[in-house]
Amino acid sequence: MFVGLVAGTSGTGAVLWIGVRPDRRRHGIARALLALAKAELVAEHARLVVAELPDDEDTASMMKLLAAAGFEREGTVPDLYRDGVPLTLWRWTPS
């Protein structure tokens, strides 16, 4: 898991990567790691948290996880990763 405040911003946090071994998936580990990431970023006074990832079948479960954790899809950059695969930007704002 890689998370932290984004350099050059005023309180923007980022979730850069969450990984779970294939034989450990579907046990709530990624959900727990994302909750920990959000808590750490709130403790660091993040005013918003972003996540960027490709919108393809390999990241479908991560996009579902982000949505379930209160992140909202903010926008896309078409064809960033390859033709037909946009970057998607997700945003969560602590309450």
Side-chain angles (χ1 to χ4, degrees):
M1 175 174 77
F2 293 108
V3 300
L5 293 177
V6 178
T9 68
S10 178
T12 300
V15 176
L16 302 175
W17 180 76
I18 293 177
V20 177
R21 287 182 8 194
D23 62 326
R24 300 287 188 209
R25 293 183 183 153
R26 310 298 307 164
H27 297 287
I29 296 169
R31 183 174 39 251
L33 288 171
L34 184 55
L36 176 62
K38 289 168 61 178
E40 287 183 7
L41 291 166
V42 167
E44 293 181 26
H45 307 289
R47 59 184 180 77
L48 66 100
V49 178
V50 297
E52 300 175 355
L53 61 155
D55 187 353
D56 67 6
E57 69 247 9
D58 292 337
T59 60
S61 61
M62 184 62 184
M63 288 189 284
K64 288 178 186 175
L65 176 66
L66 290 170
F71 281 76
E72 296 182 4
R73 190 174 174 148
E74 192 72 20
T76 62
V77 178
D79 303 321
L80 182 80
Y81 290 96
R82 61 184 175 278
D83 288 346
V85 180
L87 171 141
T88 58
L89 176 66
W90 293 77
R91 174 188 176 131
W92 175 71
T93 305
S95 48

